[in-house]
């Protein structure tokens, strides 16, 4: 059977990986993992583009021999991708001999058959984009129409590729194959780009010794870096040496890239080169949008370029989340916020919000509370006769199918939203069914049924999230005591975990990230100030100040004394869509058993504080009667999470 061949662009090694290159690579990895989980044999290529003049230039500026520089940089890319859990099958480098042989042979064949011919190039070149621009395409400022950087003038003999000869065939192919270029917006961009007509393109450069030499050329010209780079995809199948056998991998099923390198290169020059060679075209080219930061393009000069591993490392330190899970959280953010059609804003704040909301509160909390209750009520053993209610079972299967459809369409924001609908459904189900109350009332069998639905949801979720968060998926599977992350096919089966199956102890995966004091509230060392005299208005607050307090109703799910104190109890309080640990000084008035199941009023946006080694994530409101606390509670039972105002 043919392998599912998926590629990223090969990255220029003039700078280290950043969130832009990480995006394409993580999206590709998620697609590759998804297809693997569905049972396909996958061949996933990434690599580095090393023959570019801009790479040579940076090496020279650094005073390092270029080959040594590209070796170091390629290693840096591989190290970063491995640390980001990228499971590629081949890492190709364009300075490898096998690639040089492919590029040389293709050049020779196309020249022999007349698709490459000799001429002269007079025009402009953008070193940053490694692109030629004809004289009439450049404005007075002599800046690059794509990136805005200054252009260099070139007037030299060169070889041309007869791109114009393939224009009609290519347009027909694009029109006949609606999935050839995706998403739709890129297809339209490409057709728009082609509407101006495709000119023959220069495919050699003079005046440099860095690059693959043009075969049988005495002038010392090298092959234009894009012509050489695009061929990497073919090199990696060993097309040159394997006769028809390369078709076990070729053509690529999915070629991923950013929107900038689609119309001009991957959707035009590339298929035309393949047509000229008589090699089948890729099935699908997908061009995603760009990350922008503070509404601007990332650039070193603006200082807004983020390194992926630093972002993950910093989350791991501030949240206390193990590094592999912080890396997965970063992958999740990349995919959940992925720019598909348009560009998208990357921000650390956005990342933290997704982490606390989607990962700590939703996914992490569902896993933890489900396994905790299974242990507390059933000793960690799946009870006999449990099965998932039909409505919920139907919803799980439907959401898994929708997730698959979206992943197939490279629409990870939609796919992950579909998967998360399972989490919301189970949380709602828990609220309605209240397994803790069922258990308390002795309805143990029913409590088991309800929690079993949660377990099954988690089993399915571990499969659905694996493409995005492979290590987290594995950890969830471990806590469920499954040998591996379940295959995709098992997401359409329900009530799979058998009675009697034992579960591992729950272990939090995503500790909540505590909000850091902002610069304004951080105390600054200062000269002692004279204490202002109180006036009557100092005791009044405005309605806006009051509105800053987030006061919510919640239900106490568990309560236990804190050892070696007379006053403190540790409570778990359910606030509807999240559970908080709260340390309350109420032990003199209440026994822990009086509290479980009772509704309380919580100040929910108080800065967390550590009391006797326990992080308290809020405060219960109580009346102080001679130093003893009498708890406030709503006069009628209300939904957990309801606001007090
Ligand atoms: N070497 C060429 C590709 C040759 S493939 C035969 C190249 N390399 S690159 O390193 O400049 O960029 C590679 C990819 O990173 C492109 O897909 C590009 O769109 C992506 N990104 C670079 N910056 C980006 C953002 N700010 N946001 C998202 N992706 C962007 O081009």
């Amino acid at each position: 059977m043919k392998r599912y061949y998926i590629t990223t662009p090969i990255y220029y090694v003039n700078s280290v990986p950043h969130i832009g290159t990480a995006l394409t690579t993580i999206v590709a990895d998620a697609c590759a993992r998804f297809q693997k989980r569905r049972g396909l044999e996958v061949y996933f290529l990434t690599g580095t583009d090393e023959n570019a003049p801009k790479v040579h230039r940076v090496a020279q500026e650094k005073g390092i021999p270029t080959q040594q520089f590209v070796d170091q940089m390629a290693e840096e890319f591989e190290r970063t991708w491995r640390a980001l859990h990228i499971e590629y099958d081949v890492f190709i480098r364009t300075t490898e001999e096998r690639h040089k042989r492919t590029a040389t042979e293709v050049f020779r064949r196309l020249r022999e058959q007349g698709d490459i011919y000799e001429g002269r190039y007079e025009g402009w070149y953008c070193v940053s984009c490694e692109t030629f621009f004809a004289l009439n395409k450049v404005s007075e400022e002599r800046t690059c129409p794509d990136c805005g950087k200054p252009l260099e003038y070139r007037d030299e003999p060169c070889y041309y590729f007869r791109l114009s000869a393939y224009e009609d065939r290519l347009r027909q192919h694009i029109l006949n194959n609606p999935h050839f270029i995706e998403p739709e917006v890129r297809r339209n961009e490409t057709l728009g780009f082609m509407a101006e007509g495709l000119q023959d393109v220069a495919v050699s450069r003079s005046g440099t010794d860095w690059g693959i030499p043009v075969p049988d050329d005495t002038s010392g010209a090298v092959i234009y870096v894009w012509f050489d780079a695009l061929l990497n995809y073919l090199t990696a199948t060993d097309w040159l040496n394997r006769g028809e056998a390369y078709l076990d991998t070729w053509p690529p099923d999915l070629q991923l890239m950013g929107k900038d390198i689609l119309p001009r290169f991957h959707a035009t020059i590339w298929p035309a080169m393949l047509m000229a060679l008589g090699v089948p075209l890729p099935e699908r080219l997908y061009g995603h949008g760009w990350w922008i930061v503070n509404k601007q393009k990332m650039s070193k000069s603006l200082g807004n370029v983020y390194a992926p591993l630093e972002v993950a490392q910093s989350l791991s330190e501030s949240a206390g989340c193990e590094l592999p899970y912080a890396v997965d959280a970063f992958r999740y953010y990349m995919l959940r916020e992925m720019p598909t059609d348009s560009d998208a804003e990357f921000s650390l704040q956005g990342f933290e919000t997704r982490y606390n909301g989607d990962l700590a509160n939703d996914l992490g909390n569902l896993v933890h509370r489900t396994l905790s209750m299974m242990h507390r009520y059933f000793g960690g053993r799946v009870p006999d006769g449990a099965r998932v209610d039909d409505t919920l079972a139907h919803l799980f299967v439907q959401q898994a199918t929708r997730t698959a459809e979206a992943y197939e369409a490279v629409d990870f924001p939609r796919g992950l939203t579909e998967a998360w609908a399972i989490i919301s459904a189970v949380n709602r189900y828990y609220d309605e069914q209240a397994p803790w109350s069922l258990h308390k009332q002795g309805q143990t069998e029913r409590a088991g049924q309800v929690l079993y639905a949660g377990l099954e949801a988690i089993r399915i979720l571990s499969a659905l999230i694996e493409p995005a968060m492979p290590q987290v998926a594995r950890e969830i599977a471990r806590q469920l005591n499954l040998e591996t992350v379940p295959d995709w096919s098992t997401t359409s089966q329900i009530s799979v975990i058998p009675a009697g199956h034992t579960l591992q102890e729950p272990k939090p995966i995503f500790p909540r990230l505590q909000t850091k004091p902002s610069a304004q509230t951080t105390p600054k060392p200062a000269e002692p100030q004279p204490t202002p005299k109180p006036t009557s208005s100092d005791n009044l607050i405005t309605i806006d100040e009051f509105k800053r307090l987030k006061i919510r109703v919640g239900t106490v799910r568990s309560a236990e004394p804190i050892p070696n104190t007379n006053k403190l109890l540790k409570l778990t309080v359910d606030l509807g869509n999240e559970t908080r640990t709260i340390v309350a000084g109420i032990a003199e008035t209440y026994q822990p058993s009086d509290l479980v199941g009772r509704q309380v009023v919580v100040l929910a946006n108080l800065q967390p504080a550590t009391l006797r080694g326990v992080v308290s994530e809020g405060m219960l409101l109580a009346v102080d009667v001679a130093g003893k606390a009498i708890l406030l509670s709503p006069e009628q039972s209300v939904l957990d999470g309801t606001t007090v105002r």
Side-chain angles (χ1 to χ4, degrees):
M1 200 175 74
K2 183 192 167 303
R3 297 193 282 187
Y4 188 92
Y5 186 20
I6 177 164
T7 68
T8 72
I10 48 170
Y11 302 112
Y12 289 129
V13 290
N14 55 314
S15 64
V16 292
H18 52 66
I19 53 168
T21 44
L23 172 71
T24 322
T25 316
I26 290 171
V27 170
D29 186 61
C31 292
R33 285 175 184 274
F34 169 58
Q35 298 299 348
K36 266 186 244 178
R37 302 216 70 71
R38 299 221 292 184
L40 296 190
E41 198 191 327
V42 172
Y43 190 55
F44 170 19
L45 168 146
T46 189
T48 41
D49 189 350
E50 304 184 358
N51 298 318
K54 66 174 172 184
V55 169
H56 187 40
R57 214 170 267 191
V58 172
Q60 285 176 322
E61 280 161 19
K62 290 186 188 292
I64 307 175
T66 307
Q67 188 59 52
Q68 190 183 323
F69 174 67
V70 297
D71 289 347
Q72 284 168 7
M73 293 297 285
E75 217 177 290
E76 176 67 18
F77 270 85
E78 285 211 74
R79 191 183 68 80
T80 305
W81 297 154
R82 280 198 298 263
L84 289 177
H85 309 151
I86 307 296
E87 215 175 50
Y88 51 81
D89 297 293
V90 53
F91 188 95
I92 189 158
R93 300 182 49 191
T94 51
T95 51
E96 286 174 54
E97 281 310 316
R98 61 174 177 153
H99 176 69
K100 290 182 182 168
R101 278 196 297 275
T102 308
T104 310
E105 178 57 23
V106 169
F107 199 99
R108 189 177 281 132
R109 277 194 207 174
L110 297 191
R111 190 176 47 195
E112 270 168 24
Q113 69 192 42
D115 276 309
I116 287 181
Y117 62 93
E118 278 184 75
R120 188 166 187 88
Y121 181 75
E122 191 196 351
W124 299 91
Y125 191 77
C126 174
V127 179
S128 183
C129 301
E130 302 289 6
T131 307
F132 292 98
F133 291 100
L135 290 174
N136 61 356
K137 296 275 182 240
V138 172
S139 67
E140 287 288 296
E141 289 83 47
R142 313 277 187 252
T143 49
C144 172
D146 285 358
C147 76
K149 294 198 179 133
L151 294 167
E152 292 178 11
Y153 180 70
R154 293 278 159 76
D155 183 4
E156 58 197 29
C158 89
Y159 292 88
Y160 279 96
F161 170 56
R162 216 178 280 286
L163 178 60
S164 57
Y166 294 92
E167 181 179 330
D168 292 342
R169 242 177 95 186
L170 184 56
R171 184 174 295 103
Q172 219 39 60
H173 185 82
I174 297 173
L175 293 174
N176 292 346
N177 295 276
H179 296 294
F180 180 53
I181 302 173
E182 286 187 336
E184 174 121 12
V185 58
R186 308 286 166 239
R187 182 166 183 265
N188 294 337
E189 274 167 21
T190 306
L191 289 168
F193 174 75
M194 290 178 68
E196 294 176 30
L198 292 181
Q199 310 293 320
D200 292 351
V201 285
V203 289
S204 70
R205 294 268 328 273
S206 301
T208 175
D209 57 355
W210 185 249
I212 303 175
V214 170
D216 314 314
D217 177 86
T218 47
S219 75
V222 297
I223 299 178
Y224 170 45
V225 64
W226 267 102
F227 187 88
D228 123 36
L230 287 162
L231 290 167
N232 87 85
Y233 306 126
L234 209 45
T235 305
T237 66
D238 205 11
W239 162 80
L240 197 54
N241 304 312
R242 292 178 66 218
E244 293 287 290
Y246 83 108
L247 294 169
D248 61 2
T249 307
W250 193 269
D253 295 272
L254 179 60
Q255 300 211 268
L256 286 155
M257 70 210 74
K259 63 178 187 179
D260 52 319
I261 56 174
L262 196 128
R264 190 184 294 282
F265 300 106
H266 284 81
T268 45
I269 302 180
W270 174 226
M273 284 164 70
L274 294 172
M275 284 175 178
L277 284 171
V279 166
L281 302 194
E283 293 291 336
R284 187 148 69 120
L285 304 169
Y286 184 97
H288 59 70
W290 270 45
W291 285 130
I292 46 171
V293 179
N294 292 330
K295 303 195 169 48
Q296 284 176 300
K297 241 176 130 169
M298 283 195 304
S299 83
K300 275 194 209 145
S301 53
L302 290 173
N304 59 3
V305 183
Y306 287 99
L309 291 181
E310 283 173 22
V311 176
Q313 181 78 41
S314 148
L315 176 82
S316 162
E317 283 161 18
S318 45
C321 166
E322 283 179 38
L323 186 58
Y325 310 143
V327 164
D328 274 4
F330 173 78
R331 291 173 55 112
Y332 173 79
Y333 176 71
M334 291 268 120
L335 295 166
R336 180 65 185 72
E337 299 285 335
M338 166 192 176
T340 50
D341 290 8
S342 25
D343 293 345
E345 179 77 24
F346 173 92
S347 81
L348 292 181
Q349 205 191 1
F351 176 37
E352 292 175 0
T353 305
R354 284 274 170 221
Y355 175 80
N356 263 353
D358 299 8
L359 301 180
N361 287 353
D362 292 348
L363 179 63
N365 193 29
L366 177 67
V367 174
H368 199 254
R369 78 202 281 223
T370 305
L371 288 178
S372 300
M373 285 190 275
M374 285 300 300
H375 274 274
R376 215 172 306 134
Y377 307 154
F378 299 98
R381 186 184 164 278
V382 174
D384 293 334
R387 58 179 289 280
V388 182
D389 291 350
D390 288 348
T391 326
L392 220 43
H394 173 75
L395 181 128
F396 293 170
V397 175
Q398 169 191 290
Q399 291 313 115
T401 310
R402 290 185 177 170
T403 305
E405 282 163 6
Y407 284 1
E408 183 65 50
V410 199
D411 190 346
F412 287 96
R414 180 157 63 86
L416 292 166
T417 307
E418 300 291 3
W420 254 244
I422 295 180
I423 303 178
S424 325
V426 175
N427 278 334
R428 268 199 312 276
Y429 183 65
Y430 279 2
D431 286 345
E432 286 158 18
Q433 302 289 325
W436 41 87
S437 307
L438 291 169
H439 177 257
K440 203 170 156 199
Q441 293 154 9
Q443 297 189 50
T444 315
E445 198 182 323
R446 181 65 196 146
Q449 295 267 352
V450 173
L451 292 175
Y452 183 70
L455 275 186
E456 281 287 283
I458 296 167
R459 174 185 63 78
I460 293 170
L461 280 163
S462 72
L464 302 188
I465 64 165
E466 199 273 350
M469 296 191 283
Q471 298 286 338
V472 171
R474 198 175 305 165
E475 173 58 14
I476 293 177
R478 189 196 66 75
Q479 295 193 17
L480 288 176
N481 204 11
L482 303 175
E483 266 171 31
T484 53
V485 176
D487 273 345
W488 201 274
S489 58
T490 64
T491 61
S492 55
Q493 296 158 11
I494 300 293
S495 302
V496 168
I497 303 178
H501 178 83
T502 53
L503 304 161
Q504 297 289 346
E505 285 293 329
K507 187 167 165 241
I509 302 173
F510 299 116
R512 257 186 88 78
L513 182 66
Q514 311 299 346
T515 35
K516 288 174 232 147
S518 75
Q520 284 163 325
T521 55
T522 312
K524 294 183 187 67
E527 295 294 312
Q529 300 289 316
T531 319
K533 209 164 148 267
T535 63
S536 60
S537 66
D538 282 337
N539 292 327
L540 301 179
I541 62 165
T542 64
I543 187 71
D544 285 338
E545 283 171 306
F546 175 71
K547 280 187 185 158
R548 291 191 56 213
L549 305 178
K550 291 210 163 38
I551 307 176
R552 304 260 190 270
V553 175
T555 299
V556 178
R557 297 292 173 217
S558 69
E560 57 187 75
I562 295 191
N564 306 323
T565 71
N566 298 329
K567 282 195 160 186
L568 300 182
L569 293 182
K570 178 181 162 191
L571 311 178
T572 317
V573 180
D574 189 344
L575 288 183
N577 59 358
E578 59 174 316
T579 307
R580 298 276 183 95
T581 300
I582 295 180
V583 178
I586 53 173
E588 288 173 324
T589 350
Y590 298 93
Q591 293 292 321
S593 56
D594 300 337
L595 293 165
V596 177
R598 180 185 167 137
Q599 287 206 305
V600 287
V601 179
V602 177
L603 177 58
N605 64 336
L606 185 67
Q607 281 215 356
T610 307
L611 301 166
R612 298 293 174 119
V614 180
V615 179
S616 181
E617 304 167 309
M619 185 174 85
L620 297 195
L621 298 193
V623 185
D624 184 337
V625 178
K628 292 201 171 164
I630 312 285
L631 285 173
L632 293 188
S633 54
E635 196 246 330
Q636 294 175 8
S637 170
V638 297
L639 274 181
D640 287 333
T642 306
T643 304
V644 176
R645 57 193 172 93

